[in-house]
Amino acid sequence: MELGMLSGLNEMQQLAVTTTEGSIRVIAGAGSGKTRALTNRYAYLVNALGIEPSNLLCVTFTNKASQEMKRRVKKLIGGERDTGYISTYHGFCVRILREDIHHLFYPKNFLILDTEDQKTILREIYEELQLKINDSKFNRILKKIAEMKMDTEYVYQLMNRENPIDPEKTEDQDRKIILMYLKKQKRVYGLDFDDLMNFTFVLFKEYKKVLEKWQDHLHYIQVDEFQDSSSRQFELIRLLSEKHKNLFVVGDPDQTIYEWRGADPKFIVHFEKWYPDCQTIFLNQNYRSTPEILEIGNSLIRNNKLRVDKDMFTESPSGLKVIHYHGKSEQEEAKWILNQIKHLVKEKGSRLSQIAILYRANYLSRFIEQELIHENIEYAIFGGFKFFERKEIKDALALLRLLAFGDDLSFLRIVNTPKRQIGKKRIQLLREWAEQEGLTLYDTLKKYAQHEQFQRTKAQEFVQAIESLKVKKDEVAVSDLLQDVLQATGYEALIREDGDQDRLDNVMELQRSLVQYEASYGEDLSLEYYLQMLTLYTENDREDDKDSVKLMTIHTAKGLEYPYVFLIGMSENILPNERSLRDRKEYALEEERRLAYVAITRAEKELYLTESEGFTGRGQKKYPSRFIFELDEERCRHIGVMDRNLEEEAKEVIRVARRLQTQPETEAAHDEGAKVHHPVFGEGIIESIDEKKQMYMVHFETMEITRPISWSFKGLTKE
Ligand SMILES: Nc1ncnc2c1ncn2[C@@H]1O[C@H](COP(=O)(O)OP(=O)(O)OP(=O)(O)O)[C@@H](O)[C@H]1O
Ligand SMILES: [Mg+2]
């Protein structure tokens, strides 16, 4: 039996699979079989060691990755086993909180808030304060809220019953909005993505017994894509693995692409700091790509200084050279790609789904999409296609959420769709009554549906429809419930009447995906759990089973592989992006190079790098990316005419940029706490020093401001 899990693995992978006790780290390049080893190790623990899947936590980076892993694991251990602990960090926090959040005085059916929900709450607050509503303000406040949530202090505030949050106490408007937000959030028992982590931490910190229970429970922990774990995520894993100390992590420091969101490769690179007894396993055979693609990737990533070189080899047969295409315009670039795709399909028998088009940022898909539409070629966008953000999908889910949680957010979303004569005035009335009686809006409506104020409305019908479904919500499948609620509330009739086929199709698609989800979930899926998991889904994770070309950003492509890959928009200021160049900081550029490396290493058989002349969205003239010039010339074929001048110009632009970038790092001339003088701001004190950005934070006393001042600014002198 053991052989089943070990066949198809090389010796080092087998070692990784069979070394089950203690802390183990696997460091290896792209396509070397890390994820495969991790998956098989899971099966080995279950089949050969008899470990229960519920004692085995396996953390993946995206929901998509966890679904894929579940599918593979099930093949190895049998379809009936529960694989619920193969999950993302956030997904696992939901598991924990569902079981134990009552300690924090929250119900287990808490609501998970996505960005849309957060904005709905803000909109309400702005209305109450009679402030003008605009999206950029929302984003600024949301950023502030996220900053506050870097710390867990606010969780204690939320839980404090004696001294509840009181927005009235503050004069500062932003602060007031934030406190109102927290209050409203609490009122619907809503947790956003940051809260999921924070609540889990507070739970563990305050209730040692709960922590011990989970530590006890998790005999083995495995983490994929470990190079992109943030310090909080690592902290969580460390806490959970403290008792049994069986921790297995795999990653590739060269593929760290989330530093901007707090990922820190030091946890894998210096793993032994935290786990002095750890074993390290290196995998050095690449199974994914042709030697040409592998070498192109290596030649690029070698330009990064902050890395350890890996010695990778492949036994795959030699393939085509990697192609660099240069077009005279974006249209030409798109046309060429389309021709290539048609060629792959016609001449090489490739299926569309074997082809991926990758790019640095979402907006870059547009020019290629136009051409795909023009040529009538099926395509799907991972990431940009925001299925779950569409109005009708949000409405349908709000109906389900109302059944499950009865929360105000969902209620407000659908109470008057279709029209039930419950407009602003009546909502205001409901709000007042709800406040007085300490009820939710829905419960208030239920209580007063017969009240004269609601006589000429359809309140009664609405409440009846919801109540009749609430009774059976635990008995019927969620997919059936969806159908019932859409009919009973007249929502389906509404979109049918509108004759909007797209919206109808979307709702049907939701229904279909639910049926699929139920089938793959195995046991009975509860409505509450489905809704909680769903909010965790990013748009990136939508399954797509049509035969279509896949378009996605490089970030989304992490961990995936495709026989044919096009990396488009390979221009300076796009990849590397403008900010990394403007920052003039080597580490920012290196993250861009790692992104290009991740993109390149997705390819199995053929790789195309394309770019074209013209201007970027910001009006800069486009030049081929410096990364093109860093590739191994022997493995590369250039197509398209780049006139000599352009090439020279490009090289000059890059030379200048590079000179700026490689200026020797300056040292901080002043220490923290030093008194300094600024020609404009006057006297100040250095509050802190940011080594990475090479900046001081200086507080200027007379002007009562704090400003970041660059180390290289010569005007800042000692007092
Ligand atoms: N020992 C092996 N023999 C044959 N094929 C293998 C072997 N190990 C892995 N593979 C195949 O090689 C490909 C790459 O494997 P995998 O996705 O596990 O790599 P990875 O190291 O996780 O890559 P990435 O860093 O991009 O996530 C997959 O198609 C996998 O099935
Ligand atoms: Mg992988």
Side-chain angles (χ1 to χ4, degrees):
M1 178 166 71
E2 289 166 37
L3 279 180
M5 283 90 60
L6 295 178
S7 68
L9 297 180
N10 66 32
E11 243 175 70
M12 295 317 278
Q13 284 175 314
Q14 292 191 12
L15 182 66
V17 169
T18 52
T19 313
T20 58
E21 309 305 299
S23 44
I24 299 109
R25 116 183 105 175
V26 176
I27 296 192
S32 58
K34 296 184 294 298
T35 302
R36 181 151 164 174
L38 188 119
T39 310
N40 284 43
R41 190 174 188 273
Y42 185 109
Y44 181 82
L45 286 167
V46 174
N47 290 355
L49 268 60
I51 305 297
E52 268 301 312
S54 60
N55 294 131
L56 213 173
L57 172 65
C58 186
V59 180
T60 61
F61 203 75
T62 59
N63 285 309
K64 194 179 175 64
S66 81
Q67 279 165 358
E68 179 60 21
M69 196 169 290
K70 280 182 186 177
R71 204 179 54 79
R72 292 202 187 161
V73 160
K74 285 200 163 166
K75 263 195 192 154
L76 294 166
I77 66 171
E80 321 73 50
R81 310 292 293 261
D82 176 16
T83 49
Y85 285 6
I86 299 181
S87 150
T88 61
Y89 283 109
H90 285 118
F92 189 60
C93 287
V94 173
R95 279 298 274 241
I96 295 171
L97 293 174
R98 264 188 76 80
E99 216 171 300
D100 289 312
I101 200 170
H102 56 276
H103 293 289
L104 306 180
F105 310 115
Y106 269 63
K108 87 179 196 180
N109 289 339
F110 55 89
L111 193 68
I112 300 178
L113 307 174
D114 63 12
T115 324
E116 267 312 300
D117 300 325
Q118 291 182 311
K119 287 190 178 165
T120 308
I121 296 183
L122 283 181
R123 211 165 287 128
E124 246 179 61
I125 295 174
Y126 274 58
E127 269 170 18
E128 281 170 33
L129 295 176
Q130 300 187 328
L131 296 171
K132 258 223 185 100
I133 293 175
N134 89 31
D135 229 44
S136 69
K137 274 198 208 156
F138 284 178
N139 287 334
R140 190 176 58 84
I141 292 281
L142 285 178
K143 220 169 134 200
K144 279 202 163 180
I145 291 174
E147 272 164 23
M148 172 187 69
K149 292 184 174 178
M150 307 272 269
D151 189 58
T152 50
E153 183 53 37
Y154 75 97
V155 182
Y156 292 93
Q157 278 180 341
L158 280 174
M159 282 164 16
N160 192 335
R161 290 167 145 185
E162 266 119 62
N163 202 356
I165 294 171
D166 186 0
E168 297 307 321
K169 279 193 186 145
T170 172
E171 286 302 311
D172 182 74
Q173 194 171 61
D174 278 3
R175 176 95 194 123
K176 186 178 249 151
I177 295 174
I178 292 174
L179 290 182
M180 285 174 83
Y181 176 89
L182 284 182
K183 229 178 130 183
K184 287 192 183 279
Q185 206 195 333
K186 165 93 196 230
R187 206 167 152 167
V188 294
Y189 291 120
L191 305 191
D192 63 30
F193 286 23
D194 289 334
D195 297 331
L196 292 175
M197 273 275 178
N198 290 332
F199 273 62
T200 307
F201 272 113
V202 170
L203 184 64
F204 284 168
K205 193 156 163 239
E206 298 304 318
Y207 296 90
K208 286 274 165 291
K209 285 250 150 14
V210 176
L211 172 61
E212 279 166 19
K213 180 183 80 182
W214 286 95
Q215 285 175 331
D216 231 20
H217 203 63
L218 300 174
H219 290 251
Y220 295 87
I221 299 181
Q222 309 193 136
V223 188
D224 198 3
E225 305 273 5
F226 191 60
Q227 77 280 356
D228 270 323
S229 294
S230 68
S231 62
R232 322 222 48 205
Q233 292 169 333
F234 181 49
E235 209 181 320
L236 184 68
I237 290 300
R238 250 164 36 99
L239 262 182
L240 288 171
S241 62
E242 239 161 37
K243 170 139 202 255
H244 296 291
K245 297 190 168 42
N246 296 322
L247 176 60
F248 179 80
V249 302
V250 312
D252 174 6
D254 283 336
Q255 293 186 67
T256 309
I257 54 175
Y258 279 95
E259 268 194 327
W260 55 281
R261 227 171 57 182
D264 198 334
K266 78 172 178 225
F267 302 124
I268 187 160
V269 178
H270 302 299
F271 192 63
E272 70 282 353
K273 244 197 195 162
W274 295 274
Y275 299 93
D277 299 329
C278 76
Q279 282 193 55
T280 302
I281 297 173
F282 298 101
L283 308 176
N284 55 7
Q285 179 164 1
N286 176 298
Y287 292 95
R288 180 178 292 150
S289 315
T290 63
E292 286 78 9
I293 294 167
L294 186 64
E295 197 33 58
I296 285 281
N298 285 341
S299 63
L300 176 74
I301 200 67
R302 267 190 213 114
N303 290 280
N304 270 8
K305 295 201 193 81
L306 307 169
R307 71 181 286 270
V308 190
D309 203 12
K310 288 191 276 325
D311 198 14
M312 299 281 290
F313 73 99
T314 175
E315 285 172 358
S316 320
S318 185
L320 294 181
K321 283 190 174 179
V322 170
I323 290 178
H324 160 225
Y325 172 80
H326 172 85
K328 288 283 172 210
S329 67
E330 218 167 63
Q331 292 79 356
E332 213 179 90
E333 185 180 345
K335 284 216 160 59
W336 185 82
I337 293 170
L338 261 292
N339 276 336
Q340 223 48 43
I341 290 176
K342 284 192 264 180
H343 180 81
L344 287 175
V345 173
K346 258 204 208 116
E347 309 297 327
K348 303 202 174 172
S350 151
R351 274 178 295 119
L352 291 178
S353 56
Q354 293 181 306
I355 302 171
I357 300 180
L358 311 182
Y359 34 81
R360 173 67 181 90
N362 270 310
Y363 75 92
L364 291 163
S365 70
R366 189 203 40 83
F367 79 93
I368 202 85
E369 273 186 75
Q370 276 173 347
E371 205 56 34
L372 285 160
I373 293 169
H374 184 244
E375 296 285 334
N376 236 338
I377 290 188
E378 285 278 356
Y379 72 96
I381 298 192
F382 287 168
F385 184 64
K386 300 188 172 159
F387 184 75
F388 288 104
E389 283 175 23
R390 298 201 159 176
K391 181 181 181 313
E392 57 278 15
I393 300 301
K394 293 230 101 172
D395 287 347
L397 291 174
L399 286 169
L400 286 181
R401 294 215 302 195
L402 189 65
L403 288 179
F405 309 114
D407 63 290
D408 293 354
L409 284 180
S410 307
F411 175 81
L412 288 170
R413 188 171 179 101
I414 41 83
V415 64
N416 210 26
T417 315
K419 292 260 176 297
R420 298 190 180 92
Q421 281 74 44
I422 306 179
K424 262 200 177 152
K425 271 202 197 126
R426 292 202 169 94
I427 295 280
Q428 190 50 36
L429 194 64
L430 277 179
R431 270 192 208 284
E432 281 160 26
W433 290 346
E435 189 76 37
Q436 282 162 17
E437 308 210 9
L439 293 175
T440 61
L441 292 173
Y442 174 74
D443 282 339
T444 312
L445 183 70
K446 187 167 123 192
K447 188 164 169 190
Y448 291 103
Q450 313 241 35
H451 191 280
E452 59 175 312
Q453 291 282 0
F454 285 91
Q455 255 168 20
R456 256 173 291 152
T457 71
K458 295 197 180 149
Q460 185 75 9
E461 273 173 37
F462 178 63
V463 169
Q464 269 166 7
I466 298 293
E467 286 305 301
S468 68
L469 290 169
K470 249 162 84 179
V471 182
K472 57 180 202 180
K473 83 175 165 53
D474 294 326
E475 268 101 64
V476 303
V478 186
S479 51
D480 291 335
L481 203 60
L482 173 67
Q483 205 161 25
D484 292 349
V485 79
L486 287 172
Q487 277 169 8
T489 57
Y491 192 85
E492 192 177 320
L494 174 78
I495 50 178
R496 276 191 199 283
E497 276 164 28
D498 283 356
D500 189 337
Q501 190 59 36
D502 271 358
R503 290 171 62 195
L504 204 56
D505 283 349
N506 283 333
V507 174
M508 295 301 135
E509 173 68 17
L510 178 68
Q511 174 86 14
R512 197 186 64 90
S513 76
L514 235 171
V515 172
Q516 232 174 31
Y517 191 80
E518 278 163 349
S520 76
Y521 188 74
E523 54 191 285
D524 283 346
L525 176 69
S526 86
L527 176 64
E528 288 83 1
Y529 188 59
Y530 167 73
L531 289 169
Q532 286 172 333
M533 289 319 285
L534 195 65
T535 327
L536 283 189
Y537 276 64
T538 58
E539 57 276 21
N540 297 352
D541 305 310
R542 230 172 78 74
E543 271 309 315
D544 181 279
D545 38 22
K546 268 202 220 125
D547 184 31
S548 58
V549 178
K550 304 291 182 283
L551 273 63
M552 70 196 96
T553 64
I554 304 174
H555 281 101
T556 307
K558 196 177 170 61
L560 307 179
E561 57 190 15
Y562 293 92
Y564 306 98
V565 170
F566 293 83
L567 174 56
I568 67 174
M570 276 288 269
S571 301
E572 281 291 286
N573 287 314
I574 295 179
L575 180 62
N577 75 351
E578 201 207 352
R579 193 154 41 128
S580 70
L581 296 178
R582 206 177 37 202
D583 270 5
R584 293 201 201 153
K585 296 289 181 299
E586 198 65 28
Y587 73 87
L589 180 67
E590 296 212 343
E591 177 137 312
E592 293 297 300
R593 196 178 276 114
R594 288 194 297 266
L595 263 171
Y597 175 73
V598 167
I600 288 172
T601 53
R602 300 306 98 204
E604 297 170 13
K605 289 187 185 152
E606 291 179 26
L607 172 65
Y608 302 84
L609 310 169
T610 71
E611 45 84 25
S612 54
E613 292 171 32
F615 295 89
T616 67
R618 289 169 187 262
Q620 294 144 317
K621 188 166 172 186
K622 287 204 289 178
Y623 296 105
S625 163
R626 69 186 62 200
F627 299 151
I628 299 273
F629 299 104
E630 291 175 358
L631 306 176
D632 178 2
E633 274 299 308
E634 304 250 302
R635 321 271 177 164
C636 204
R637 204 175 121 215
H638 300 277
I639 297 182
V641 200
M642 194 184 326
D643 71 52
R644 276 220 78 68
N645 285 343
L646 185 82
E647 191 172 336
E648 283 312 311
E649 248 178 77
K651 286 187 176 159
E652 182 56 25
V653 169
I654 292 164
R655 256 197 301 275
V656 173
R658 206 175 274 157
R659 253 205 313 277
L660 288 174
Q661 217 132 30
T662 50
Q663 271 176 355
E665 298 232 328
T666 43
E667 285 203 356
H670 309 288
D671 296 324
E672 209 174 291
K675 287 193 174 157
V676 287
H677 181 269
H678 187 283
V680 176
F681 300 141
E683 281 156 27
I685 288 189
I686 296 188
E687 282 186 336
S688 61
I689 298 183
D690 187 331
E691 300 268 343
K692 236 178 176 180
K693 295 193 179 137
Q694 305 200 352
M695 301 247 218
Y696 308 107
M697 285 309 288
V698 189
H699 181 72
F700 295 101
E701 289 144 12
T702 39
M703 304 188 73
E704 290 193 0
I705 50 168
T706 303
R707 287 274 181 286
I709 307 287
S710 163
W711 289 1
S712 58
F713 179 62
K714 296 281 180 284
L716 198 70
T717 51
K718 267 222 166 60
E719 265 284 275

